[in-house]
Amino acid sequence: MTNLLPEMAEIWQQTLNWQPTVQQQAQFQKLYELILEGNRQLNLTRIVDPQEFWEKHLWDSLRGIAPLLSANFSPASPALIDIGTGAGFPGVPVAITVTNCQITLLDSTRKKISFIDNILSELALTNAKTFVGRAEEIGQHRQHRLAYDIALIRAVGAASVCAEYTLPLLKQGGLAIIYRGNWTEDETAALQNAVNQLGGVIESIEQFTTPLSHSIRHCVYLRKVGTTPANFPRAVGVPTQKPL
């Protein structure tokens, strides 16, 4: 008997002003089962308890795009990219939820991308596609630079590095969403310095508490308002951890 994910309809509604449809709930359940199965071959996630999976993978993924769930997207079919998607978070839950988007799931590990290709097929998600590559490289790629309305990045490096990975990919006016755990004023200062050079501004930094474990989380929203210099993102091997 497979563990069933909790439905949490009331919490979805209270926290995000949104609820999954019956089909979306079934897709979340299938995603959970596929992740548990994939964990036998690949080290995808340590989070396997159904309630913990719901909170830390599903709810957390969608909390980052909460401003978008209750708003009408413009353009009608926004182009998103999930940088370093790993096991498919936040990108796959976003694809399930925002059915009018087109989302690219990027990861440098081919085995993980092959696994996600199977997930997309099993869940019949036609609005998502995968790409094997590194953020430093695709930011200089004509197909990807200036190509996206929204860039998502979760659990990757310092915030200034996340800015360097996301902002070159965005169209003018595009939005980068950085998923974080803890956040400090020092990080804000470092990020401010980075976005100034990358053609962005810090639009907001939201602190929130997760609904079950009451953990503190943050989402940082960057808006692309200018031109990103051509030398960013810097090439693989150039120390991006140093302040810009």
Side-chain angles (χ1 to χ4, degrees), residues 215-228:
S215 305
I216 299 291
R217 299 277 296 158
H218 294 79
C219 275
V220 181
Y221 298 89
L222 310 179
R223 184 71 63 179
K224 175 83 165 275
V225 295
T227 302
T228 304

Side-chain angles (χ1 to χ4, degrees), residues 17-92:
N17 194 31
W18 172 88
Q19 287 184 32
T21 64
V22 172
Q23 180 186 353
Q24 288 166 335
Q25 184 66 33
Q27 287 174 309
F28 286 158
Q29 178 65 33
K30 182 68 173 175
L31 171 62
Y32 176 51
E33 293 169 12
L34 291 168
I35 293 283
L36 292 182
E37 188 180 320
N39 250 358
R40 296 171 188 164
Q41 284 82 37
L42 297 166
N43 183 24
L44 297 169
T45 180
R46 291 170 294 176
I47 299 167
V48 295
D49 172 79
Q51 291 215 2
E52 196 178 6
F53 186 94
W54 178 88
E55 179 182 63
K56 294 184 177 177
H57 281 327
L58 298 180
W59 185 89
D60 187 75
S61 291
L62 299 187
R63 176 59 182 80
I65 63 158
L68 313 174
L69 285 176
S70 57
N72 291 321
F73 268 115
S74 183
S77 183
L80 284 77
I81 184 166
D82 177 14
I83 298 168
T85 190
F89 302 105
V92 174

Side-chain angles (χ1 to χ4, degrees), residues 42-181:
L42 297 166
N43 183 24
L44 297 169
T45 180
R46 291 170 294 176
I47 299 167
V48 295
D49 172 79
Q51 291 215 2
E52 196 178 6
F53 186 94
W54 178 88
E55 179 182 63
K56 294 184 177 177
H57 281 327
L58 298 180
W59 185 89
D60 187 75
S61 291
L62 299 187
R63 176 59 182 80
I65 63 158
L68 313 174
L69 285 176
S70 57
N72 291 321
F73 268 115
S74 183
S77 183
L80 284 77
I81 184 166
D82 177 14
I83 298 168
T85 190
F89 302 105
V92 174
V94 171
I96 290 170
T97 305
V98 188
T99 54
N100 65 318
C101 81
Q102 296 293 321
I103 186 164
T104 298
L105 307 172
L106 171 76
D107 202 272
S108 60
T109 305
R110 185 170 294 278
K111 281 185 179 179
K112 288 182 178 175
I113 288 296
S114 295
F115 173 75
I116 292 172
D117 282 334
N118 179 60
I119 282 180
L120 299 182
S121 174
E122 290 279 345
L123 299 182
L125 291 174
T126 57
N127 62 334
K129 61 184 179 180
T130 58
F131 192 86
V132 179
R134 297 177 63 105
E136 302 97 323
E137 294 166 347
I138 74 155
Q140 298 290 354
H141 196 295
R142 188 181 302 172
Q143 179 189 346
H144 295 280
R145 193 176 181 95
L146 301 171
Y148 297 96
D149 300 295
I150 299 166
L152 312 172
I153 189 163
R154 186 184 189 216
V156 177
S160 57
V161 175
C162 294
E164 185 172 345
Y165 287 168
T166 53
L167 287 169
L169 299 171
L170 292 173
K171 302 173 186 175
Q172 192 77 4
L175 186 68
I177 304 175
I178 304 173
Y179 292 69
R180 309 295 289 182

Side-chain angles (χ1 to χ4, degrees), residues 191-242:
L191 179 60
Q192 186 66 64
N193 183 48
V195 298
N196 286 346
Q197 296 183 55
L198 293 164
V201 294
I202 301 174
E203 189 161 275
S204 65
I205 300 172
E206 290 190 16
Q207 178 179 311
F208 54 90
T209 306
T210 59
L212 302 183
S213 61
H214 307 294
S215 305
I216 299 291
R217 299 277 296 158
H218 294 79
C219 275
V220 181
Y221 298 89
L222 310 179
R223 184 71 63 179
K224 175 83 165 275
V225 295
T227 302
T228 304
N231 57 312
F232 295 115
R234 289 166 288 184
V236 176
V238 175
T240 53
Q241 292 293 345
K242 292 182 180 177

